[in-house]
Amino acid sequence: MIEWFARNPVAANLLMMTIIVVGCVSATRAIPFEVFPSFEIESVTVSTAFRGATPNSVEDGITGRVEQAIFDLEGVKEINSRSSEGLSTVVAKIDEGYDKREILNDIKLRIDALNSLPLDAEKPVVSLSTFNAGVIQVAVLGDVPYKMLRLTADRVREELLSHPSITLVDLLGVTP
């Protein structure tokens, strides 16, 4: 075959040009471009809002109970938690060799079975953790009530999303 291409340079050049054109078209259409791609981490997050509660109340009323409910699950290798004002976050790291979807379902079952959470607490949200490296962070601060800050942050978020080049804006540090 090499001998045939050596005797027919036009065919070899046409084949090379075809490969280059198909490669360029495929690269621009089939491959999504992301500066900082997001990916799932091998962990499950349980977030629970408890509006107006102090960190100690969140720890005693929610975080400790969630930890107790999931600490003995097979496939959970480590549990990290954070209790802040009005929000409990528990992250369960998944051991290698375990299916993260199965662990997610097991954790959901255990969390749904909890009946000792405070009545004022919202329903816990159980999800697979994802990592999305941000490009920029914008802080909304002010000496105004929380509700006003939240409305302003929502407005800033909507304005940013209206720009055609911006596809993702997350609000951090807010209760749902």
Side-chain angles (χ1 to χ4, degrees):
M1 183 179 272
I2 295 174
E3 180 182 331
W4 186 83
F5 277 115
R7 280 188 267 129
N8 298 297
V10 174
N13 287 335
L14 282 175
L15 178 63
M16 180 182 66
M17 289 305 294
T18 303
I19 291 171
I20 290 172
V21 168
V22 169
C24 289
V25 169
S26 296
T28 59
R29 291 189 183 183
I31 300 173
F33 293 105
E34 291 188 40
V35 177
F36 298 103
S38 61
F39 54 92
E40 289 182 347
I41 303 172
E42 299 297 317
S43 63
V44 175
T45 303
V46 180
S47 299
T48 310
F50 189 11
R51 296 185 193 275
T54 64
N56 286 338
S57 299
V58 172
E59 175 69 31
D60 295 338
I62 299 173
T63 306
R65 293 175 184 175
V66 169
E67 289 174 346
Q68 286 295 320
I70 65 173
F71 84 96
D72 62 342
L73 275 174
E74 186 177 340
V76 173
K77 80 172 163 183
E78 182 181 329
I79 296 176
N80 296 310
S81 60
R82 182 171 186 245
S83 298
S84 58
E85 187 173 332
L87 184 64
S88 166
T89 306
V90 178
V91 179
K93 293 188 180 178
I94 301 171
D95 224 350
E96 285 186 37
Y98 287 91
D99 181 26
K100 58 188 166 191
R101 299 283 177 195
E102 285 182 28
I103 301 292
L104 173 72
N105 290 334
D106 291 344
I107 290 175
K108 277 185 182 179
L109 287 173
R110 295 265 181 109
I111 298 302
D112 289 343
L114 279 177
N115 55 9
S116 60
L117 295 179
L119 296 176
D120 295 340
E122 294 182 14
K123 186 177 187 310
V125 177
V126 182
S127 61
L128 284 173
S129 302
T130 56
F131 176 75
N132 191 348
V135 176
I136 190 170
Q137 291 184 350
V138 177
V140 178
L141 305 169
D143 191 18
V144 295
Y146 173 80
K147 189 173 184 177
M148 180 66 132
L149 279 176
R150 177 64 191 255
L151 289 172
T152 304
D154 286 337
R155 199 169 337 124
V156 169
R157 180 181 185 274
E158 293 304 318
E159 287 180 25
L160 287 171
L161 284 173
S162 69
H163 193 280
S165 299
I166 299 174
T167 58
L168 177 66
V169 177
D170 284 331
L171 292 179
L172 302 174
V174 297
T175 54

